[in-house]
């Protein structure tokens, strides 16, 4: 199975360890992984800002880099959802997967050799939850499920603590954190308070953008709580 690893801009620049963990994890699970070296932004920031018509260059470059693979896998729900909903190529739209979605729906993994003996608070990002359906939503009358929680359940030693309002937004929202800074920060502070109640050591999620937002607030508070992308736990030995 040939898999192309899609590395979103902010992961490439600020959290490269997430890309490395994704590569190592997919290879451990038997995938032939290629990382196209000419990849750039997927175009989501422009589309989110109301300038979707200006993403033509990003779309063409993405097609150039990723069109020849069985699957395209990325560790970012928001970027993957943008591609699924807006990329002009049907082949790209149908073959791109968020990495947790890929692990559960395509690889259907049932075991891992990972160990992570820590108390973690699970954050369900909006794009992953309501766009990719990685977990259930309280606004729907449906049986609760979480693909992230299922994956973390395969890791030895993890203790999962969920906040009371388990599917509420952290307030990042892409450009929302810039245009509505005060509201964005208040939402993030509220999220962190709920994790603090559970005395977690880490806040874990599948979107580094959300984790980056909460990490900034944690640092300003002088908190010892750390943030970590879920692939870093799934790949942890």
């Amino acid at each position: 199975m040939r898999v192309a690893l899609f590395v979103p801009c902010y992961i490439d620049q600020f959290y490269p360890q997430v890309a490395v963990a994704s590569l190592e994890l997919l290879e451990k699970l038997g995938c032939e992984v290629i990382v196209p070296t000419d990849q750039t932004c997927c175009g989501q920031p422009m589309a989110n800002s109301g300038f979707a018509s200006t993403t033509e260059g990003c779309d063409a470059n993405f097609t150039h880099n990723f069109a020849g693979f069985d699957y395209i896998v990325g560790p970012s729900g928001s970027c993957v959802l943008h591609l699924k909903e807006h990329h002009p190529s049907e082949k790209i739209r149908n073959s791109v997967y968020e990495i947790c979605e890929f692990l559960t729906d395509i690889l259907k993994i049932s075991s891992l050799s990972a160990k992570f003996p820590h108390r973690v608070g699970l954050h369900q990002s909006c794009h992953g939850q309501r766009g990719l359906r990685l977990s259930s939503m309280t606004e729907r009358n449906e049986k609760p499920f979480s693909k992230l929680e299922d994956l973390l359940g395969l890791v030895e030693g993890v203790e999962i603590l969920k906040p009371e309002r388990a599917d509420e937004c952290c307030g990042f929202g892409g450009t929302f954190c810039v245009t509505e800074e005060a509201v964005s920060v208040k939402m993030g502070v509220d999220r962190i308070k709920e994790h603090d109640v559970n005395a977690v050591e880490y806040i874990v999620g599948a979107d580094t953008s959300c984790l980056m937002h909460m990490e900034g607030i944690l640092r300003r508070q002088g908190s010892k709580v750390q943030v970590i992308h879920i692939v870093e736990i799934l790949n942890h030995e």
Side-chain angles (χ1 to χ4, degrees):
M1 180 183 296
R2 294 183 76 234
V3 172
L5 181 61
F6 162 43
V7 182
C9 313
Y10 63 96
I11 289 178
D12 179 52
Q13 294 296 312
F14 302 122
Y15 299 94
Q17 72 275 14
V18 174
V20 172
S22 300
L23 171 65
E24 292 178 348
L25 180 62
L26 290 169
E27 289 183 338
K28 282 181 188 176
L29 296 172
C31 298
E32 178 189 357
V33 186
I34 292 89
V35 185
T37 55
D38 293 332
Q39 58 180 300
T40 61
C41 177
C42 66
Q44 185 195 178
M46 290 82 88
N48 282 358
S49 301
F51 300 101
S53 60
T54 66
T55 64
E56 184 176 336
C58 293
D59 294 339
N61 189 58
F62 198 94
T63 301
H64 170 73
N65 282 297
F66 290 98
F69 295 93
D70 300 324
Y71 296 99
I72 306 160
V73 178
S76 168
S78 63
C79 298
V80 166
L81 183 63
H82 167 73
L83 292 164
K84 280 180 180 288
E85 293 186 338
H86 300 293
H87 197 278
S89 165
E90 183 178 1
K91 171 71 167 56
I92 296 292
R93 294 197 302 272
N94 291 337
S95 55
V96 65
Y97 287 83
E98 187 278 330
I99 192 164
C100 293
E101 177 186 30
F102 183 73
L103 297 177
T104 57
D105 296 3
I106 302 300
L107 295 185
K108 301 183 186 301
I109 65 169
S110 58
S111 63
L112 282 171
S113 59
K115 298 178 181 178
F116 196 75
H118 297 283
R119 292 168 61 88
V120 303
L122 180 59
H123 177 69
Q124 310 271 15
S125 296
C126 302
H127 281 83
Q129 184 169 235
R130 296 179 173 84
L132 298 173
R133 300 287 287 145
L134 297 180
S135 65
S136 55
M137 302 175 283
T138 51
E139 60 264 41
R140 287 191 175 188
N141 184 19
E142 60 184 354
K143 184 179 179 181
F145 69 92
S146 169
K147 295 177 183 179
L148 274 65
E149 192 171 345
D150 290 345
L151 289 170
L152 288 173
L154 302 176
V155 179
E156 182 179 337
V158 165
E159 184 179 359
I160 305 171
L161 290 307
K162 290 189 288 188
E164 182 178 352
R165 295 174 295 179
D167 62 355
E168 193 164 299
C169 177
C170 70
F172 176 66
T175 53
F176 177 79
C177 71
V178 177
T179 58
E180 297 290 348
E181 179 187 355
V183 179
S184 171
V185 171
K186 180 62 170 66
M187 294 171 73
V189 168
D190 287 349
R191 291 288 75 220
I192 287 168
K193 280 182 181 176
E194 289 206 350
H195 288 296
D196 282 341
V197 168
N198 291 331
V200 304
E201 298 171 77
Y202 293 86
I203 298 174
V204 58
D207 257 294
T208 310
S209 52
C210 302
L211 297 176
M212 178 171 62
H213 177 60
M214 289 186 283
E215 183 178 33
I217 296 170
L218 288 166
R219 285 183 179 181
R220 286 170 175 79
Q221 293 177 342
S223 174
K224 294 182 180 179
V225 176
Q226 301 177 62
V227 301
I228 188 169
H229 193 284
I230 188 170
V231 294
E232 295 178 90
I233 294 179
L234 302 180
N235 189 50
H236 198 276
E237 295 182 347

